[in-house]
Each structure stands twice: as C-alpha cells, then as structure tokens.
Amino acid sequence: MPELPEIEIVKERLKEKIIGEIVKDVKLLKPYILKSVKPHYNKLLGKILNDVQRIGKWIIFSFDEDINLFYHPKLSGYLRLKEVISRDTSFIISFGKTNLLFNETGNKKISEIYIFEGKEDFFKLKKIGIDPLSQDFTKEYIKEKLKKEKRVLYRILIDQSIFPGIGRAYMNEILFEARLSPFKKGFEINDEEISRFYESIKNVLNNAIDEIKKIDEGIEFREKRDFLKIFGKECPFCSSEIKNVFLKDITIYYCPNCQTGGKIYKDRRFSLFLK
Ligand SMILES: [Zn+2]
C-alpha cells in the first residue's frame, strides 16, 4: 500500500501537471469507487481544478465553488494521466487533452472517492489526525496523544486518526531510527523519547520523499523502498542481526540491541508451542 511519501510525490506532480485545467467530462465506470451521493459527480463539469492537496493517505482535488474530490488508493488503486482508459479504470475526469484515470488492479475493489461541497462533511466522516508534514504536527501533539494510550507503539503509529499517512513500512523504520521498542506502550514514553520519536517521524518521511523524487517524473505510487534501513540483514548502527516477528496481521522488524534491550520476540502464531 502506498504511504505518505509515495502519495506526497504523486500529489506534487499532479499539481504541476493539471492545476488550472477545466473539467470537460466525468464518467463513473464502476460505481463501487464512489462512496458519496451528494453532490452528483456531474457537478464537476465545467469546473476549474484549483488545487491538489494531501492529508495522510488521501489526495484532495479542489474545484470551483468549493467542490472537493477526496481519493484514497487503499491497497492497489493508482492514478494515470492518459487519453486511453484501461480495464482497471473506475472513474474518469477528462480535461480535454488528458484524462485523469482512477484505476485499480486486482479483484479487491476498495479504493474510494468522496465528493463533497466544502471539506467539513468529509472530516466529520473520517477521523484523520494531524498530518505529520504539517506545521501543526508537534511534539506537544504527540505527547497529548500518547499520554493515556495503552496500545503499543507499532499499533498507535499506524492509527490514521493519530498519525495519518504512516503504514507498516514507515512505521518499522520510524521506530528503528528513534531507537524505540515497537512493544513499548504509548503512556510509557518519556519526554526525551518523544523528541526522538518526533524527529524520527519527520526525518524518515522527508528522507523517503527525497529518495523517491530521484526515481522519475511519473505519477506512480513507487513502493520501491530499498533505502529503508530496517529491512536490511543487519543493523547499520550496531551490526546486530535485524529480527522480525509476525503478530496476527503485521510483521514487526527491529534491532534487539538498539530497540528492545536484547529481548527477542516470538511469532504469536507459534508462541503456544514455544512457551
Ligand atoms: Zn542495532
């Protein structure tokens, strides 16, 4: 699934390519993708695209008269600027010379579009926290969110109502860079650790954006993440072997020396037998 850095790049490139364009046609080919009813998608006709923004993993297209289209690619949604549609295409906004295609591969059709007048209805519907790249994302915000939090850090960090845009890949890297145990509970984090956590979130995401920018000019969600350190064989800081543990629905990568005080975690699937 694309996460904040991949989506940020696509947003930037869409801004360069289609802002100021007028909507000439709109087609809903596969109704599953459109989750809102009012206003009708035909309301986009004749409107100018004024801005493209991002919050978390959502891309927001803002048109005249404050009509906004909110798009989430989920697992395998992707965008294309092309004249020709493909069998993956669910929704089309035509700007005349080029079409913005909302596509999705695979059988699981879960990518989403909402169209609203204004933005309030959307944010009432979806609980989305402060975007980690926004200026309002501060150490105080993290402290406030973590102080009563009984869940472990790896769960909190992928909660979109607190850290929107962060998913499994960057979660592992952020905790590693911050030298924090993924298994530590939110309320157990002290001020010094919050500082490390905050710096790591900013550094990991900004560094990823810089790395992905080097790849090409397209609007692909590039999930080539070989620049992430936690998915290597050994820790670049202490040369210990990086361990991983599979827990229900998520794989956690960590350096036992730098993050967990030497503690090794066992897969929950097998833990009954290993005890
Ligand atoms: Zn290490």
Side-chain angles (χ1 to χ4, degrees), residues 176 235 237-240 255 257-258:
F176 172 64
C235 173
F237 304 116
C238 74
S239 301
S240 299
C255 170
N257 186 40
C258 295

Side-chain angles (χ1 to χ4, degrees), residues 98-115:
T98 187
N99 296 320
L100 176 60
L101 308 178
F102 295 78
N103 292 356
E104 186 162 16
T105 55
N107 298 325
K108 255 190 176 176
K109 300 298 185 195
I110 52 172
S111 61
E112 295 183 348
I113 288 175
Y114 291 81
I115 300 172

